[in-house]
Amino acid sequence: MNTHGASTDTLADFYARNADALNLLTLLADTTDTGIIDAANAGAAASTDS
């Protein structure tokens, strides 16, 4: 997150929401299919690169 002057609470909330999204994608995948898991990880990584 590249927001200058963001408080630690704002940053913690931002990353917690992204962790929730990753956990949901992983839960929905519930598989050993590495393609789905890789896609979930890529999506989560992209969402934190703002």
Side-chain angles (χ1 to χ4, degrees):
M1 179 173 189
N2 294 328
T3 304
H4 297 288
S7 71
T8 54
D9 289 339
T10 300
L11 293 172
D13 181 57
F14 175 81
Y15 286 107
R17 285 183 284 125
N18 284 288
D20 289 343
L22 176 59
N23 290 334
L24 177 59
L25 289 171
T26 303
L27 178 66
L28 290 173
D30 193 22
T31 182
T32 58
D33 182 345
T34 57
I36 293 172
I37 295 168
D38 290 344
N41 288 333
S47 72
T48 60
D49 191 29
S50 58

